[in-house]
Structure formats: C-alpha cells, structure tokens
Amino acid sequence: MTEQITTPSANDTNDAPKHNLEAHNFDATDSYNFAYLDEQTKRMIRRVLLKALAIPGYQVPFASREMPMPYGWGTGGVQVTAACLTPDDCVKVIDQGADDTTNALSIRSFFASTAGVRTTEATDKASLIQTRHRIPEIELTEGQLLVYQVPIPEPLRFLEPRETETRKMHALSEYGLMHVKLYEDISQHGHIATAYAYPVNVEGHYVMDPSPIPKFDNPKMNNCAAIQLFGAGREQRIYAIPPYCHVKSLDFEDYPFDRLRAPGACALCGADDSYLDEVIMDDEGTRMYVCSDTDFCSTRREQGHVGDQSGLFDSEEG
Amino acid sequence: MQPDALKGGFADLPIQSATAFRSVLQAMARPGTIHQLAGAAPPPPLSVAAGVVLLTLCDPETPLFVGASVDTPDLRSWISFHTGAPFSAASAAVIAIGSWQDFTPLSAFPVGSAEYPDRSTTLITEVDLLGREGSNACRLTGPGIQDFYTLCLPDPALMQANRALFPLGLDFILTSDSSVAALPRSTKIEVM
C-alpha cells in the first residue's frame, strides 16, 4: 500500500495565504523528541542560558550539537530556541527582517513539525522570535523572547585572533583595541564606518557583539522589555541580555554614535523611520527602497499607508 | 534504593521540563519576580519547586551538593533515580540544594574565574516563604529590573558581598512550596 500524498493544487494555492509553504502536511512530533533536541542537550543549554542571563554580555561556552542544517544557517539560534520552546509558544522567524526567505521559512517549519508549535509572521503575536541580523521595528514586549543567530560571537576576534588573549581582555575590561579600531575608522573615513555588528557595552562591563544587525538597530537593545538571547552554533557560545539592561554602543565624545539609514521613505508603505533595503530593479541601475521588516511594511500597507510605488506589484498579486 | 524513589518525577518529561524551564528562565531574567512550578513530588522536606528545578537542571553532568537540612537517604535515592546527578562536595558543585544555613560559609562554593565567570555554583535555596514584606525585605535593582522589586532575602549582607564579586559570584534560585524566584549575581541589593 502506498500512502497517498496530497499536494495543494494550483487552484488551492491562489486562495491560500501568501506563504502557504508553511501549510505543510509533514508532522514529525511523534518521530522526534519535543523540539528536536534530546533532553540532556536541552538541559545543558538551559544551564548555560541561566549563567548567560546572570552575567549579561559574557559569552558562555556550550557543547553545541550538529543540527540538520549547515553552520551559518542559524544552528546556534535554533538550539537556543529548541531549549526555550514550550508547546504554548507562537514562533516567528526573520532573516534580515523578512519572514518569507528560505532560511526563515525552513526554520519556522522545522519547529512547527518537530515541536508542533504555532507559527506567525506578526511580531506582536509571537512569543518567541528567532532572528538573523535584524530587530523588528515595533517595540518588543515583556513576554517575548528574541533569539539571535550569531556567526562570530567574539567582538575582538578580528583584532586579536587568540581566544586566550580575548578572554583576558574581557576579564580585565581591556577594550582599548576596540576603541583604536573605531578611531582608525574616523581617521580613514572621517566617521565611524562600522555599519553592522557595531560593538556595544553591556551594563558597563562586557563589550559584546550584537550579531551582524545594522547599527540602526543597536538602540533597540537598550532598555528592551524582552529577553534577548544569542546563540553561536559553530563557535559554541551563548550570551544574553536580560530585560531593561543598559546597552551602550561604543563611541567617542566628539564622534557620538549615529544610527545609519538609507535616506527617504519606503516605496511601498511610505515609512520614513524604518530600516530600508535597497532593491535593484533592472540592469539599468533603477532601484527602490523598501522596509527590511516585511511584517512592519505589510501591516502599514493594510492600514492604508502608501508609498510612491505602492501599485507596483498589484497586477502580479491579482 | 527506596521504592518511593521511583515516584514523583515528571510524567511527561520533555513538555514539563520545557514549561518549568521557561518559568526559571523568566525568574532569572527578571530577578525578584515570583513564578509557580508544578509537576514534581520530591520526598520531604524538599519543596515542589525545588524538586522541579532539580529535575529541570540536573543530570549526570552536574555534580550536586546536598545540604545537611535536606540530606536524607530518600532524597538521595530520588535524585539519583530521576536525574543521575553525582553527589559532590561544595567545592566541586555545579548545583547545590539545601537551606541557607547549609550553604554558609558561601566561600566553600566556586565563584568562577575571571576568564570563566560561568564556572560557579547555582544554589537552589529553600526558604520558608517567598515574600515581599517582612524581615530582611530588600530592594532589588539591576539587569532585568525596570524600576525595582522588593523581596525578603535570607541574609542580605552575604548576598551583597556576593554581588560585590561581579562578574564572579554565585547565582541563587530561591524556592518555597511551589514558588520560585531567582537572584543572579548581577542584582544590586539594598536592605529597606
């Protein structure tokens, strides 16, 4: 007997929600332990998470496992999410602000199938948000967890390759090297040219890599109501920022920290305060700027906000 | 092995430990907030909350210090059967369980090193009552706390000394009946 596999027909697809790939029939909740990882691994990660919260900004080593996805696709974030998930959670995953990219979609369906949790694209409906390189535009709330995927957790790594040395530098709060790097930015470019993974100081002690979020997002980490957890799978480090922490981007008195944002408004929703992506439209150099946060942009469009190219995709969407 | 040791564990381990951990995570992230735990029935005199925290965090990788006030053959059997945690002296403990009196002097426990401040003991401390008013009521501020919380602590002076070690130091999980609160080393403590 062959099992009948039902695939949505073309007609179904038109009526289905925009990202109907999520409406998959695959349910692995009986085949895997809850949230994929075995219990001992989850306990190990949970103990590390508690230490990370107790020492804000300090990178706690952990025994990172192989995950069913390549390094660089969020193995650290996925392990932290798996250790935190409960069946009541509603999970949102974003990749550079977008809910509908391959990475975001596959991680979301991974947890839908191995943990049976609900998923969403709406920031305000999610209880756990896993993110690659963005913080959502709308303010996060007390009940929420924000899990960052981190490639290189050590902010000093490109300045000092030896782990033994960077550990000493953190232990002594010796961050002169980082200030020299920012100073060299100014001497070469006239301003601090670091635009992403901009180093922050957490609670006056540890300097921390905020993962490669644009520095536009850095101020959102400060005094944030949500719990922020960072997982670096390949580098085997977990760190955290508890709610309402003082997180300060490094700068100088005469060169204060400055958020960086493409000038103008979103071409689809007209927002002039959101982080914008540049989209190349053809091979003649035409480009448009749209919100990087897809949920923020579509919510605004539903509310009736328009940008100067709002009608651009109307004919395609039918 | 006592026959009763087989009872009182989680009935649905992955789900119950996930739910319990989320409460402990919230407690540690927001020091001074009180959360409820359920699902374990450890042998007396251990509280439900302390039992749940043990089941959630302990396994064969975590040397466990058992304080004299809770140290019974029943409890040791229960811990061994449900978690497999090896029993250890205070100086090698990753996790400790007991009352405040069992843990003094605190200097017996590792507080981590400057390079690895995470290599310190987490003390699951049984208290009579997790309350906000009464003797030793303290005002808590610091990471995780928007304004302040008040919480009665067993020995504010020793906990202030622990805070002074930051980023080294011990982390406390306070348990009473089914309630849990946490006091990481980062929290500033003022006696009211």
Side-chain angles (χ1 to χ4, degrees), chain A residues 33-34 39-40 43-44 46-47 49-51 53-56 58 60-61 83-87 89 127 142-143 145 167-168 171 203 205-206 225 227 242-245, chain B residues 13-15 17-19 21-22 24-26 28-30 55-59 61-62 95 114-118 120-122 143-146 166-167 171 184-186:
Chain A
N33 190 30
F34 175 72
E39 285 306 302
Q40 190 157 341
R43 270 193 299 270
M44 175 269 297
R46 286 166 181 166
R47 289 192 296 264
L49 284 168
L50 295 183
K51 288 295 173 197
L53 282 167
I55 320 166
Y58 166 73
V60 190
C84 291
L85 271 187
T86 70
D89 271 314
S127 58
E142 282 221 341
L145 261 63
R167 277 210 173 263
K168 274 197 199 105
E203 285 288 328
H205 195 97
Y206 288 103
I227 300 173
Y244 308 113
C245 248
Chain B
L13 182 72
I15 305 299
S17 60
T19 313
F21 171 71
R22 238 347 225 285
V24 177
L25 181 84
Q26 290 287 350
M28 190 62 88
R30 298 184 164 81
L55 294 182
T56 306
L57 298 181
C58 292
D59 59 28
E61 295 173 357
T62 55
I95 294 173
E115 270 103 358
Y116 291 95
D118 57 300
S120 65
T121 311
T122 303
I145 304 169
Q146 188 171 22
F166 187 87
D171 304 308
R185 64 193 81 177
S186 59

Side-chain angles (χ1 to χ4, degrees), chain B residues 6-174:
Chain B
L6 309 184
K7 299 177 191 162
F10 285 144
D12 186 357
L13 182 72
I15 305 299
Q16 284 179 298
S17 60
T19 313
F21 171 71
R22 238 347 225 285
S23 299
V24 177
L25 181 84
Q26 290 287 350
M28 190 62 88
R30 298 184 164 81
T33 57
I34 298 172
H35 303 261
Q36 300 302 313
L37 298 175
L46 215 58
S47 69
V48 171
V52 171
V53 176
L54 282 177
L55 294 182
T56 306
L57 298 181
C58 292
D59 59 28
E61 295 173 357
T62 55
L64 178 74
F65 172 85
V66 181
S69 70
V70 295
D71 196 352
T72 63
D74 281 357
L75 182 70
R76 286 199 174 228
S77 296
W78 187 80
I79 290 171
S80 293
F81 177 74
H82 290 284
T83 73
F87 300 109
S88 85
S91 58
V94 170
I95 294 173
I97 176 81
S99 69
W100 181 258
Q101 285 72 29
D102 299 335
F103 297 150
T104 48
L106 292 178
S107 57
F109 295 95
V111 293
S113 63
E115 270 103 358
Y116 291 95
D118 57 300
R119 294 181 182 174
S120 65
T121 311
T122 303
L123 303 171
I124 305 169
T125 313
E126 289 268 55
V127 294
D128 292 336
L129 189 70
L130 267 179
R132 304 200 180 280
E133 288 172 12
S135 65
N136 288 338
C138 293
R139 182 187 158 100
L140 310 180
T141 55
I145 304 169
Q146 188 171 22
D147 300 315
F148 67 90
Y149 286 112
T150 53
L151 193 69
C152 297
L153 301 180
D155 189 335
L158 281 183
M159 285 185 158
Q160 283 168 333
N162 179 56
R163 154 71 206 178
L165 298 172
F166 187 87
L168 309 190
L170 305 168
D171 304 308
F172 298 91
I173 295 175
L174 308 174

